[in-house]
Amino acid sequence: MADGAIIDGADSTDAGVRRRDFIHIAALSLGGVGGLAALVPLIAQMSASDDVLAESSTEIDISAIAAGQAIKTIWRKQPVFVRNLTPAEVAAAQSVDATKLRDPQSLADRTKPGKANWLITMGVCTHLGCVPLGAGQGEVKGEFGGYFCPCHGSIYDTAARIRKGPAPKNLEVPPYVFSSDTVVKIG
Amino acid sequence: MSFPWANQYKPSNAFTSWLDEKLPLPRFVYNAIGGGYPVPRNLNYAWNFGVLAGFCLVLQIVTGVTLAMHYAANAGVAFDSVEHIMRDVNWGWLMRYGHANGASAFFVVVYIHIFRGFFYSSYKAPREMIWLLGVVIFLLMMATAFMGYVLPWGQMSFWGAKVITGLFSAIPLVGEPLQQWLLGGFAPDDAALNRFYALHFLLPFVIAGVIILHIWALHIPGSSNPTGIEIKTESDTVPFHPYYTAKDGFGLGIFLLIYCAVLFFFPNALGHPDNYIPANPLSTPAHIVPEWYFWPFYAILRAFTADFLFIPAKLMGVLAMFSAILVWFFLPWLDTSPVRSGHFRPLFRKFYWLLVIDVLVLGYCGGSPAETKYVLISQIGATYYFLHFLVILPIVSSIEKPQPLPFSITDHVLGTDAKTVAA
């Protein structure tokens, strides 16, 4: 045998390495790797399951939404606001110097080209996830005429950008495309 | 603690002698909460609340396991199953009201227990480990209570779950994936409800385990007492049983009177009417508040409305809220005064009561709507809260001149040693 030091009797310390040390290290290492591998499914089982991920696109008919109106719809079990901005609201959003905002984005960044009046955002406050008011009829829109979150007082403007309060970001714009002039596919 | 004068366990018959050899459980109990545990003779009723907290845990486990036999953790039927418990299950209303109000009672008792610790500096050496384990128990209680409140799947349940898991989304980079992992989806739903149920069932038993460690750590130095001076002789102590089993039993009776008065006459006084509306992901209640026992910490969370340095307001609020409890872990080393009891610390005593008022004010603000004036008061209150622990306490400890301490516990209770001898 080439490596006599390891194959020698259990208590041999000829080369400073005992056969038993090798067995201990190998067994514990393999046990540790196995234990860590077992954590993978235990942790991964908590992530969103396939059926939850499957509900990830939805189509909306926007033909009935008049200027100044908004609807709430659902995508991924979360509310989405689809709002048809009035020309005054578009002008109000465009008149702001976007670079000075907390989350600097212009209205054009947040809408599709040629569809600046269609403001489609998640109805989820970026602070702690409440549904802001302002999309339903008669709801408070806040001092910037957009959305107002009643939970902790975040105020969004007519481009759904954060202007006041604790929320760090603008209302998120979900991925969407105009399938036609009157149908929007979210997700 | 093995005080040399502690009573020794003596098996009283052949069976207990046999048992003592095979599994000395009666001996263990005798030494832990029986005649074999010498306790300072001067404990006041503030020392009653540990036993009461233990009672509350048992109450919650018993009513909780009963409720679990009738509850269904599925977003489609959870709300209805709770109503089924209330209306159809025999005595179901008692179990549910007993459990919901039991949670409030548990927190009342534990808050008094904690503030007893603050006043008498029960966290100081050699009892730091008892204190640290206590803070762990409190954190576990908060997690358990939060997840339990989600289970009825009413509006407050749903939005509470959304807001609290939203706290984790404040963490940079990993926040959003972490929140989705915690919820098992993009918003609270079946997956979240089921795991909260599983953990809500598990955590009370984890709490019971940490309580065993808490009491184990307590028995090494023995209980503190209102004078804050250590036991010197046998005359400073009485055996736990029958003296404190009787005193705690009396306290338990008073506690049960108040608990039952709330349970039978005002069972919904501490709840929110909104939670009798089934969860609706499309409509946030106008005024989301957690249960009353989270209000002070919720006020601290909401106090941060502007970005601070490079930290966004949202993350700042979350960090502050968790720090408000984590700071307790450092208390044994922040309060450096060698004197324990607030009775002998005139300056500390004043700031102690200011802290009590501050926490009550924060609690009031946390339960109020997010209006400017309440946010402003919360900001002042939160600032003072951290000042108290991080600045005032260390300074007071170093400049304060404590009043003279009595020679011994017996001395304090009976006057001089001369009188003791005469007695």
Side-chain angles (χ1 to χ4, degrees):
Chain A
M1 289 286 179
D3 204 348
I6 288 183
I7 303 198
D8 271 355
D11 292 324
S12 160
T13 53
D14 289 351
V17 179
R18 291 187 309 158
R19 174 192 170 95
R20 196 156 285 187
D21 289 338
F22 172 78
I23 292 171
H24 283 166
I25 292 167
L28 285 175
S29 307
L30 196 63
V33 169
L36 286 176
L39 282 179
V40 173
L42 287 175
I43 290 171
Q45 56 85 18
M46 282 181 66
S47 298
S49 55
D50 288 350
D51 60 323
V52 171
L53 294 173
E55 298 168 346
S56 57
S57 85
T58 182
E59 286 204 334
I60 316 155
D61 181 356
I62 57 169
S63 57
I65 309 171
Q69 282 189 332
I71 60 160
K72 295 180 195 176
T73 181
I74 297 186
W75 175 61
R76 287 178 169 181
K77 302 240 169 175
Q78 296 190 87
V80 175
F81 295 160
V82 181
R83 182 156 169 174
N84 189 352
L85 298 173
T86 62
E89 287 173 333
V90 171
Q94 284 169 342
S95 67
V96 179
D97 181 0
T99 56
K100 295 222 168 76
L101 299 179
R102 186 180 298 173
D103 184 7
Q105 276 187 316
S106 69
L107 182 64
D109 294 335
R110 300 173 55 74
T111 51
K112 298 291 177 194
K115 306 269 188 194
N117 61 319
W118 287 108
L119 179 68
I120 300 178
T121 60
M122 299 303 295
V124 180
C125 182
T126 55
H127 181 223
L128 292 174
C130 296
V131 180
L133 300 174
Q137 206 145 28
E139 287 179 355
V140 189
K141 289 178 154 71
E143 65 181 279
F144 293 94
Y147 299 105
F148 169 72
C149 183
C151 294
H152 307 95
S154 292
I155 301 170
Y156 298 88
D157 66 9
T158 52
R161 293 173 296 199
I162 180 65
R163 299 294 289 273
K164 237 184 184 179
K169 297 226 169 269
N170 303 332
L171 287 189
E172 189 194 337
V173 176
Y176 67 92
V177 288
F178 279 89
S179 314
S180 72
D181 273 354
T182 57
V183 176
V184 172
K185 184 171 176 240
I186 301 177
Chain B
M1 171 85 184
S2 46
F3 291 107
W5 58 84
N7 295 327
Q8 292 300 311
Y9 174 72
K10 289 183 200 69
S12 54
N13 57 47
F15 173 72
T16 48
S17 299
W18 176 83
L19 191 60
D20 197 42
E21 282 175 21
K22 315 299 170 195
L23 179 74
L25 191 62
R27 176 182 293 275
F28 179 77
V29 171
Y30 181 87
N31 289 335
I33 52 169
Y37 178 46
V39 187
R41 63 192 291 171
N42 61 333
L43 299 191
N44 60 32
Y45 276 105
W47 265 259
N48 204 177
F49 289 85
V51 165
L52 292 183
F55 175 82
C56 285
L57 181 70
V58 172
L59 178 76
Q60 289 304 84
I61 289 178
V62 170
T63 52
V65 169
T66 316
L67 289 170
M69 294 178 187
H70 303 279
Y71 171 77
N74 175 294
V77 296
F79 186 89
D80 292 340
S81 78
V82 172
E83 287 310 299
H84 157 74
I85 289 170
M86 291 299 287
R87 298 171 193 204
D88 305 332
V89 174
N90 296 320
W91 296 95
W93 61 271
L94 181 68
M95 292 303 141
R96 174 160 178 268
Y97 278 156
H99 196 70
N101 288 292
S104 283
F106 201 170
F107 274 96
V108 169
V109 163
V110 161
Y111 276 126
I112 296 174
H113 192 58
I114 291 171
F115 275 83
R116 190 282 315 265
F118 284 153
F119 185 82
Y120 293 104
S121 305
S122 303
Y123 43 79
K124 279 183 191 163
R127 296 185 180 79
E128 308 97 307
M129 185 51 75
I130 311 168
W131 175 258
L132 301 181
L133 288 167
V135 180
V136 170
I137 292 170
F138 183 66
L139 289 170
L140 286 169
M141 275 179 67
M142 293 181 91
T144 309
F146 157 67
M147 289 191 276
Y149 195 58
V150 174
L151 303 184
W153 211 239
Q155 272 289 66
M156 282 296 176
S157 300
F158 180 90
W159 290 99
K162 183 125 191 188
V163 168
I164 300 298
T165 54
L167 298 180
F168 293 92
S169 72
I171 300 166
L173 299 176
V174 296
E176 295 237 343
L178 180 65
Q179 186 192 2
Q180 286 173 11
W181 177 75
L182 286 170
L183 288 173
F186 304 100
D189 203 1
D190 268 341
L193 181 58
N194 264 296
R195 67 190 53 175
F196 283 7
Y197 183 47
L199 293 173
H200 182 71
F201 207 120
L202 167 72
L203 285 184
F205 298 98
V206 177
I207 291 176
V210 185
I211 285 176
I212 290 173
L213 300 183
H214 188 65
I215 297 174
W216 186 4
L218 171 70
H219 281 68
I220 292 170
S223 298
S224 182
N225 69 86
T227 64
I229 55 178
E230 292 294 340
I231 292 166
K232 285 194 167 73
T233 60
E234 183 174 3
S235 73
D236 290 343
T237 67
V238 288
F240 188 83
H241 178 75
Y243 291 93
Y244 286 109
T245 43
K247 185 162 182 163
D248 288 342
F250 178 72
L252 181 63
I254 303 284
F255 164 81
L256 282 174
L257 278 177
I258 299 168
Y259 169 72
C260 288
V262 175
L263 170 57
F264 292 122
F265 296 101
F266 317 96
N268 286 307
L270 298 168
H272 301 291
D274 270 334
N275 220 26
Y276 284 105
I277 303 169
N280 177 0
L282 285 192
S283 162
T284 309
H287 176 204
I288 297 189
V289 281
E291 290 281 81
W292 68 267
Y293 35 79
F294 293 141
W295 285 353
F297 304 105
Y298 195 58
I300 292 174
L301 169 77
R302 292 197 301 191
F304 290 83
T305 51
D307 296 357
F308 182 73
L309 300 175
F310 297 102
I311 308 170
K314 175 174 160 181
L315 180 58
M316 205 55 214
V318 174
L319 290 177
M321 186 180 73
F322 285 113
S323 306
I325 298 168
L326 297 183
V327 72
W328 295 355
F329 278 118
F330 299 94
L331 204 47
W333 299 277
L334 288 169
D335 180 357
T336 53
S337 170
V339 175
R340 294 200 188 94
S341 173
H343 285 309
F344 302 105
R345 302 182 61 189
L347 192 56
F348 166 87
R349 200 158 59 218
K350 293 189 182 72
F351 284 106
Y352 169 83
W353 288 111
L354 271 178
L355 177 72
V356 172
I357 293 166
D358 184 52
V359 170
L360 291 175
V361 168
L362 278 174
Y364 182 79
C365 291
S368 303
E371 290 165 12
T372 318
K373 65 173 172 183
Y374 294 120
V375 173
L376 183 67
I377 299 171
S378 304
Q379 287 167 339
I380 298 167
T383 309
Y384 183 78
Y385 181 91
F386 285 105
L387 273 181
H388 175 90
F389 287 106
L390 298 175
V391 179
I392 294 173
L393 214 47
I395 292 178
V396 164
S397 305
S398 60
I399 64 168
E400 182 179 54
K401 188 178 183 310
Q403 287 158 351
L405 294 175
F407 171 74
S408 70
I409 293 171
T410 307
D411 215 18
H412 185 68
V413 175
L414 298 178
T416 64
D417 277 357
K419 274 192 206 161
T420 316
V421 175

